[in-house]
Amino acid sequence: MTGPQVSIVVPVYNQLDRTRRCLRSLAAAGSRYAFEVIVVDDGSTDGSAEWLAGCVNVRVRRLPANAGFIAACNAGAAIAHGKFLVFLNNDTEVRRDWLDALMACFESMPDCGLVGAKLIGADGRLQEAGAMVFADGQACNYGRRGDPSDTRYGFLRDTDYCSGACIALPKELFLRLGGFDARYAPAYYEDTDLAFAVRAAGYRVIYQPRAEVVHAEGATAGTAISSGVKRYQYINRDKFVAKWKEALAAQPTAMEFACAPERCAARNRAPHILVIDIDYPRPERDAGSLRMFNILQLMREMNCHVQFWAMDAANRDSHARALEDRGIEIVVAPTPLQRLRWWYTRGAHVDIVWLSRLPTSERHLRLARRHAAQAKLVFDTVDLHFLRYERGAALQGDASAHKLARRFRRTELSAVAHADVTLVVSDYELSLLHELVPTSDVRVLSTIHTVWEKQASFEEREGLLFLGNFEHTPNIDAVRWLLAEIMPRLREHQLGVPLHIAGYAGDKVLADLAEDDVIVHGFVRDLDPLLAQVRVSLAPLRFGAGVKGKINLAMSRGLPVVTTFIGAEGMGLRHRFDAMIADGAEAFASAVVELYRDESLWNRVSEHGLDNVRRQFSPDRARLTLSELLVTDGVK
């Protein structure tokens, strides 16, 4: 039988009723991790020892006399069987998924050394979202008496320390550091000291908002600071300052914290970036979302304090929480009054304002200039809207579409002119904007894809694939042209293989177009099996703009692509080298047949496609562009 993964150490001194509630909450919350509960009875005299003796599935260590919190915790750790230790006060009650959330940090972050929970008071107000330590050794609970649901306290982040009422760390690390330092006996500053020691050993100290614990503060030690155990807050601060004098020199002062609490709580000097987009990135749906999601992750890897504002989202959803779990703060301000209030109160603390897409720029550019005048303003086009609409209007011969395209041209070029930096996804769009707005600072930050290499060989594959978000008009036009003009020609060539169509909203838009050899999958959350199954990916785009994520996604898996000149635009693709490129239904169909049947050609295009993604669209390439942007700004 395998032992526990986690040992939960609960120090107890009297307060039997609270111990009962604590242990019952542990049993009710459960976990996907195997855990043991070690209760260290620190010389209780209220019948705790007798009651604990009857508790099943609880290991009890009884100390002969009351030795204090530090001695009790160290004694519990000494007999723990788990790989991880969790120290939990007996005046706490844990909530569902608390332990899973703590352990998730160690799974996702190899350099995570200590994790603390969100502590909520018995009155329902926030008690602590991580804690701050100032240069003079004084400390404060970040977010104290705030709203636990406030987004400022809802994202995972590094913190100075976490209160010992609920902290987790690897047992090996705890023992290597000597446990809680006995110089602080009986209690106070031992948790602060441990966090500083963890960081000095090269690990991170993390606040995890998903781990919620209700804490009846002062139930065991009282609240009076002039008598009892609580007086050691003053006594031990001097010891702490003497031990960590050099580390404290880098800490902010209490005055600095009062002026800019969020910046101080971020624990870094890297830029504070506000990113505003229409909605939360949904990387499983569309290429623009995948690009934004990867950009945000790279910003966090560069230690930026990142806020994300989805201007059309009234509430946080699962995609917002996915950002919070990666250390990104969410801004929720859906009404005009809330938007104005946010800009007025917090705009002055932003270093870079990143406006993603034209509609975002139209609504926030002036607000940013007025309330964040110190910030660098980045206009991220994602793709040039006016170019996409002009091409669509020309193809369809639609007068109203031409009128809309002209409006987009005016507003988009105005945004380019007023931004400090404009980002595009291709060299073609960069050249176009330099021609139209010669004084603008335009840079390329393209789509971002990890290269996964080939998932299957030529012989192991069968079928064709069209992938796209079918809320996007160019994709609808492309797939309908594919079905009406190209598929009949493929049948004439007796290719005889199925066409798979996958993408968000596809089952709604294209369900009536399914045939024996046309399989409409609709939205597919995990595309990898499909990308490894088919032999050729098709992107017969007749209009659009920007870099096509569907093409890069296929090439990053070693899946060769047949596309048009519009589809290949700005990607540095060469016909018969790293893609097959053809316009017109007959030429496109011929390219598909040749690539599908010629194994040598298929392998060559596959390998060169992988190289193309590595050179132009890898995370390393994007990281370099971001780094240059920050350095040029003079903030980093």
Side-chain angles (χ1 to χ4, degrees):
M1 181 178 178
T2 59
Q5 298 165 280
V6 182
S7 296
I8 302 173
V9 178
V10 183
V12 168
Y13 178 63
N14 295 327
Q15 302 289 334
L16 177 56
D17 285 344
R18 294 192 180 278
T19 301
R20 287 195 186 104
R21 289 198 289 271
C22 176
L23 297 182
R24 286 168 181 164
S25 74
L26 285 173
S31 175
R32 66 185 180 90
Y33 294 88
F35 66 89
E36 66 174 353
V37 178
I38 300 171
V39 176
V40 181
D41 182 3
D42 192 19
S44 297
T45 59
D46 65 345
S48 291
E50 292 75 15
W51 183 81
L52 288 168
C55 290
V56 296
N57 299 323
V58 174
R59 299 175 63 202
V60 180
R61 169 77 188 277
R62 180 166 173 78
L63 302 184
N66 179 237
F69 179 84
I70 291 175
C73 287
N74 286 343
I79 65 170
H81 294 148
K83 179 180 178 181
F84 294 93
L85 297 171
V86 175
F87 295 102
L88 184 70
N89 278 15
N90 72 322
D91 56 359
T92 63
E93 294 182 52
V94 301
R95 291 182 173 174
R96 184 180 178 87
D97 296 329
W98 75 288
L99 184 58
D100 291 2
L102 292 175
M103 292 299 106
C105 294
F106 298 109
E107 287 190 357
S108 62
M109 294 178 285
D111 58 350
C112 178
L114 185 149
V115 185
K118 176 190 284 186
L119 299 181
I120 300 171
D123 61 358
R125 291 188 295 179
L126 182 65
Q127 192 176 101
E128 177 189 304
M132 297 289 303
V133 179
F134 304 129
D136 62 357
Q138 292 191 73
C140 77
N141 303 126
Y142 182 58
R144 189 174 181 82
R145 298 189 181 90
D147 180 355
S149 66
D150 191 317
T151 57
R152 288 176 293 176
Y153 317 122
F155 65 102
L156 186 145
R157 60 179 177 80
D158 291 80
T159 188
D160 288 347
Y161 81 99
C162 299
S163 294
C166 179
I167 57 174
L169 73 167
K171 178 184 175 182
E172 183 276 331
L173 177 61
F174 182 75
L175 297 179
R176 174 155 47 99
L177 296 175
F180 286 119
D181 193 335
R183 81 180 68 191
Y184 302 106
Y188 291 106
Y189 271 90
E190 75 288 333
D191 46 9
T192 318
D193 175 88
L194 179 63
F196 272 61
V198 166
R199 205 158 29 244
Y203 297 93
R204 295 169 64 186
V205 176
I206 300 295
Y207 158 67
Q208 170 56 288
R210 302 282 180 255
E212 293 190 347
V213 175
V214 178
H215 180 217
E217 187 179 36
T220 53
T223 56
I225 60 175
S226 60
S227 62
V229 176
K230 197 78 172 175
R231 75 182 188 278
Y232 282 93
Q233 277 191 339
Y234 280 119
I235 296 171
N236 287 344
R237 189 180 86 188
D238 292 339
K239 299 177 182 178
F240 176 78
V241 170
K243 181 178 179 180
W244 296 104
K245 182 178 180 180
E246 291 186 12
L248 287 171
Q251 294 296 112
T253 65
M255 181 60 71
E256 288 172 328
F257 177 73
C259 295
E262 288 84 14
R263 184 177 289 276
C264 291
R267 273 199 57 80
N268 61 60
R269 296 292 182 264
H272 178 161
I273 305 177
L274 171 66
V275 179
I276 310 180
D277 206 341
I278 297 170
D279 198 359
Y280 300 114
R282 304 174 190 277
E284 74 282 1
R285 290 190 185 182
D286 63 272
S289 283
L290 179 61
R291 173 179 175 273
M292 174 55 73
F293 188 81
N294 288 331
I295 288 172
L296 294 172
Q297 291 202 109
L298 288 173
M299 288 177 176
R300 284 296 300 127
E301 288 176 15
M302 298 167 74
N303 292 319
C304 298
H305 177 191
V306 183
Q307 294 173 299
F308 189 87
W309 187 343
M311 67 179 190
D312 285 348
N315 299 296
R316 289 180 288 176
D317 61 12
S318 61
H319 291 89
R321 290 190 289 274
L323 297 183
E324 290 177 323
D325 290 343
R326 287 161 175 81
I328 296 165
E329 179 184 351
I330 298 300
V331 176
V332 178
T335 69
L337 181 60
Q338 289 172 322
R339 288 197 294 271
L340 186 60
R341 183 182 294 122
W342 193 95
W343 279 112
Y344 184 76
T345 58
R346 301 188 69 185
H349 301 294
V350 178
D351 296 314
I352 297 174
V353 176
W354 187 295
L355 302 177
S356 176
R357 306 174 200 267
L358 179 59
T360 305
S361 174
E362 289 179 305
R363 285 165 59 177
H364 285 275
L365 192 148
R366 290 184 180 179
L367 287 169
R369 282 301 191 207
R370 177 177 299 176
H371 299 289
Q374 78 293 337
K376 183 174 188 176
L377 199 152
V378 176
F379 173 38
D380 185 359
T381 62
V382 182
D383 70 1
L384 289 177
H385 289 47
F386 78 83
L387 183 60
R388 169 159 44 90
Y389 276 86
E390 283 176 354
R391 288 170 169 174
L395 180 67
Q396 298 159 4
D398 186 335
S400 62
H402 276 291
K403 182 178 179 180
L404 184 61
R406 286 194 295 271
R407 186 182 77 80
F408 277 141
R409 174 181 277 260
R410 289 193 303 271
T411 55
E412 200 158 17
L413 294 182
S414 175
V416 172
H418 286 89
D420 295 313
V421 174
T422 296
L423 297 176
V424 294
V425 294
S426 72
D427 289 332
Y428 174 82
E429 292 183 340
L430 181 145
S431 298
L432 179 60
L433 288 185
H434 276 166
E435 178 184 336
L436 297 175
V437 191
T439 59
S440 61
D441 182 354
V442 185
R443 310 181 194 182
V444 175
L445 181 57
S446 199
T447 58
I448 305 168
H449 298 270
T450 300
V451 176
W452 293 95
E453 307 298 338
K454 277 190 280 195
Q455 306 296 296
S457 67
F458 177 88
E459 297 87 353
E460 295 171 315
R461 297 171 176 269
E462 182 184 52
L464 309 171
L465 172 66
F466 182 98
L467 176 65
N469 174 10
F470 294 101
E471 291 181 328
H472 191 53
T473 305
N475 287 334
I476 297 175
D477 174 80
V479 78
R480 291 189 180 278
W481 182 54
L482 169 62
L483 295 174
E485 300 291 337
I486 299 171
M487 280 300 290
R489 288 173 168 80
L490 293 178
R491 294 182 187 111
E492 289 174 5
H493 284 286
Q494 298 182 341
L495 197 59
V497 296
L499 168 66
H500 299 268
I501 301 175
Y504 185 73
D507 51 343
K508 301 174 184 176
V509 176
L510 307 171
D512 60 323
L513 300 178
E515 300 182 38
D516 290 342
D517 59 350
V518 177
I519 304 166
V520 179
H521 295 272
F523 175 61
V524 177
R525 183 167 296 278
D526 182 7
L527 286 166
D528 284 343
L530 199 53
L531 291 168
Q533 171 188 337
V534 299
R535 188 176 292 177
V536 175
S537 179
L538 309 181
L541 294 158
R542 298 196 294 174
F543 70 97
V547 166
K548 315 308 182 293
K550 63 176 67 62
I551 295 176
N552 276 333
L553 179 64
M555 292 195 307
S556 71
R557 265 65 171 182
L559 176 61
V561 176
V562 182
T563 188
T564 59
F565 286 93
I566 284 289
E569 181 181 79
M571 301 182 67
L573 297 175
R574 287 174 286 173
H575 180 50
R576 300 179 63 82
F577 184 79
D578 41 19
M580 300 292 283
I581 306 171
D583 279 343
E586 183 58 42
F588 195 97
S590 296
V592 172
V593 172
E594 183 182 9
L595 181 61
Y596 196 92
R597 290 175 173 167
D598 188 335
E599 182 175 358
S600 176
L601 175 64
W602 188 95
N603 283 320
R604 182 170 70 248
V605 171
S606 173
E607 290 297 334
H608 291 158
L610 287 166
D611 289 339
N612 183 286
V613 177
R614 288 191 196 96
R615 284 185 284 103
Q616 299 190 85
F617 307 107
S618 68
D620 287 342
R621 176 67 182 267
R623 189 179 292 108
L624 178 62
T625 302
L626 276 175
S627 179
E628 290 172 348
L629 175 65
L630 301 181
V631 170
T632 301
D633 182 59
V635 178
K636 192 175 178 183

